[in-house]
Amino acid sequence: MCKGLAALPHSCLERAKEIKLKLGILLQKPESAVDLVIPYNSEKPEKPARPQRPSLEEVLQWRESLDKLLENNYGLASFKSFLKSEFSEENLEFWLACEDYKKIKSPVKMAEKAKKIYEEFIQTEAPNEVNIDHFTKDITMKNLVEPSPSSFDVAQKRIYALMEKDSLPRFVRSEFYQELIK
């Protein structure tokens, strides 16, 4: 029986990795319970278009550029699935929330969204707290006194750098990515 991380026998570690991989694959599947519900009307509902599988050339570019990965819908979905499988999707979710935030024109809606982003990702003990230093957190808090499209820029750049340095290399080594380059 597997007890305590330090005392895990080799076979338990292998089993844990296998379970983690299988869970990741399950999380990757785009179908949801909602897709299984049969609509009342007889017309076929339109399904949203799935991102088209990228070419090998595009996929290989992701190794070198997080921007290229994030710009590609298929790449973004694959990266997101990978991060979810590792229970580490908060950085990407924060980055995406910031991208959406920058598109808001209404000052009232901007203030509401800024508060949500702060409470979800920035504040201490937030449900999906991102790992930023106190200096960055302080700058972000000061920027939120008068929300603007650039309020989260410093924090977003820090998180982007973390994803580029840490998450992207792990993704490139993962089964998710390796399946795409086969």
Side-chain angles (χ1 to χ4, degrees), residues 55-137:
S55 68
L56 178 59
E57 183 181 322
E58 288 175 291
V59 174
L60 291 173
Q61 289 176 353
W62 301 345
R63 291 180 181 183
E64 310 302 320
S65 170
L66 182 58
D67 281 332
K68 295 261 189 218
L69 173 66
L70 297 175
E71 289 167 2
N72 182 292
N73 287 338
Y74 199 97
L76 178 60
S78 297
F79 189 51
K80 195 176 207 176
S81 293
F82 164 72
L83 292 173
K84 281 186 178 186
S85 77
E86 292 201 330
F87 306 100
S88 63
E89 70 268 24
E90 67 280 345
N91 287 343
L92 180 60
E93 295 293 340
F94 171 71
W95 188 86
L96 291 170
C98 291
E99 289 297 293
D100 288 343
Y101 172 80
K102 291 176 189 177
K103 296 173 189 168
I104 298 172
K105 301 292 181 215
S106 161
V108 172
K109 288 184 179 176
M110 186 174 281
E112 290 170 1
K113 180 75 171 179
K115 183 176 188 280
K116 283 182 183 176
I117 292 172
Y118 176 79
E119 290 173 350
E120 174 89 10
F121 301 103
I122 305 289
Q123 79 181 6
T124 305
E125 301 296 321
N128 293 305
E129 187 176 1
V130 292
N131 187 8
I132 54 174
D133 56 88
H134 289 290
F135 177 74
T136 303
K137 195 178 273 196

Side-chain angles (χ1 to χ4, degrees), residues 138-165:
D138 289 345
I139 288 173
T140 304
M141 287 171 50
K142 287 175 185 165
N143 290 344
L144 293 176
V145 172
E146 290 182 41
S148 74
S150 62
S151 293
F152 293 100
D153 282 0
V154 174
Q156 188 182 20
K157 284 176 183 162
R158 293 264 196 259
I159 292 304
Y160 181 92
L162 274 173
M163 289 192 302
E164 192 171 45
K165 188 177 84 177

Side-chain angles (χ1 to χ4, degrees), residues 162-180:
L162 274 173
M163 289 192 302
E164 192 171 45
K165 188 177 84 177
D166 182 50
S167 304
L168 180 61
R170 284 186 292 124
F171 173 66
V172 168
R173 291 189 304 267
S174 75
E175 294 279 332
F176 289 84
Y177 184 80
Q178 296 305 314
E179 284 296 316
L180 293 172

